[in-house]
């Protein structure tokens, strides 16, 4: 392996570990929340399983073993460097969205007891900043782990989860918060802030 490929892999794995560290305290704290509405369907469970495979297990296997090496690809170095640069906005947005959602966060489609509608912090600009962060994450994964299996699996699995979930999530929020969510939707875009 080239030196630069190694640098790409290591930087992705440092990022990958820090994502767990960012999420951990929120996952712990929110364990005690009482769930009021649970829309975790069988489809949702499968999709969550796929993203765990594509974003956690396959990258870990790739860096720890030579098993997937036959499926490597090689991108121009500049694309790997862009991937490294994108790791910062991805982690900042991931952290900020956890902090702003606080106890309203959950890995799945759920409404908690005393759920509040968050429309401040990064949520003032976009409705799904955590998904924006995860999109950046899976783009970085494809640019930095240059492998058809471990590099693309994040993009494909999260892409599937995102497109099958986001409409349902907004529907769930609208059922819970009514006019307030409709007004919030009119002021924001899903993933990328409106510039004007
Ligand atoms: N889609 C959001 C949140 C992902 S976590 C983002 O990308 O940042 C998923 C859970 O967050 C959902 O089950 C829902 O209960 C909750 N949620 C989503 N948007 C919210 C908001 N604006 N305020 C409060 N909770 C929200």
């Amino acid at each position: 392996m080239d030196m630069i490929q190694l640098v790409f892999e290591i930087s992705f794995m440092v990022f990958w570990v820090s994502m767990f560290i960012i999420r951990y305290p929120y996952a712990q704290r929110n364990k005690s929340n009482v769930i009021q509405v649970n829309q975790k369907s069988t489809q949702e469970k499968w999709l969550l399983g796929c993203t765990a495979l594509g974003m956690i297990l396959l990258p870990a296997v790739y860096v720890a073993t030579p098993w997937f090496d036959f499926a490597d690809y090689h991108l121009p170095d500049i694309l790997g460097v862009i991937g490294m640069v994108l790791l910062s906005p991805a982690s900042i947005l991931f952290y900020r969205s956890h902090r702003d959602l606080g106890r309203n966060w959950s890995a799945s489609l759920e409404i908690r007891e005393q759920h509040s509608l968050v429309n401040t912090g990064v949520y003032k600009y976009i409705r799904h900043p955590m998904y924006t962060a995860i999109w950046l994450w899976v783009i970085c994964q494809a640019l930095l782990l240059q492998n058809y299996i471990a590099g693309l699996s994040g993009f494909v699995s999260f892409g599937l989860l995102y497109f099958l979930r986001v409409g349902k999530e907004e529907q769930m929020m609208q059922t819970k918060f009514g006019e307030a969510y409709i007004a919030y939707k009119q002021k924001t875009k899903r993933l990328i802030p409106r510039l004007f």
Side-chain angles (χ1 to χ4, degrees), residues 50-115:
C50 285
T51 50
L53 184 74
M55 297 177 66
I56 301 172
L57 190 66
L58 294 179
V61 170
Y62 178 63
V63 296
T65 73
W67 301 344
F68 300 155
D69 288 0
F70 69 93
D72 277 348
Y73 54 75
H74 291 285
L75 297 174
D77 289 350
I78 182 68
L79 290 179
V81 172
I82 289 171
M84 282 178 69
V85 171
L86 290 178
L87 292 174
S88 317
S91 42
I92 292 167
L93 206 49
F94 196 68
Y95 169 68
R96 288 299 307 253
S97 53
H98 277 83
R99 206 179 68 177
D100 292 339
L101 262 193
R103 57 188 306 285
N104 300 302
W105 174 77
S106 71
S108 186
L109 290 190
E110 293 169 346
I111 298 281
R112 340 220 105 200
E113 222 168 72
Q114 291 163 356
H115 204 110

Side-chain angles (χ1 to χ4, degrees), residues 9-27:
E9 269 186 33
I10 291 171
S11 38
F12 182 76
M13 292 321 284
V14 169
F15 163 84
W16 185 89
V17 170
S18 41
M19 295 299 100
F20 288 97
I21 297 173
I22 290 172
R23 175 160 282 187
Y24 183 77
Y26 295 94

Side-chain angles (χ1 to χ4, degrees), residues 1 22 33 38 41 43 58 63-64 74 102 119 133 147 152 157:
M1 191 199 295
I22 290 172
N33 283 359
N38 184 349
S41 59
Q43 176 187 295
L58 294 179
V63 296
H74 291 285
N119 54 15
N147 182 271
L152 296 184
S157 59

Side-chain angles (χ1 to χ4, degrees), residues 101 104-106 108-111 115-118 123 127-131 169 172-173 184:
L101 262 193
N104 300 302
W105 174 77
S106 71
S108 186
L109 290 190
E110 293 169 346
I111 298 281
H115 204 110
S116 58
L117 173 62
V118 177
Y123 287 85
R127 296 197 291 283
H128 303 290
M130 198 176 292
Y131 297 158
E169 181 173 325
M172 180 185 79
M173 296 297 289
Y184 175 55

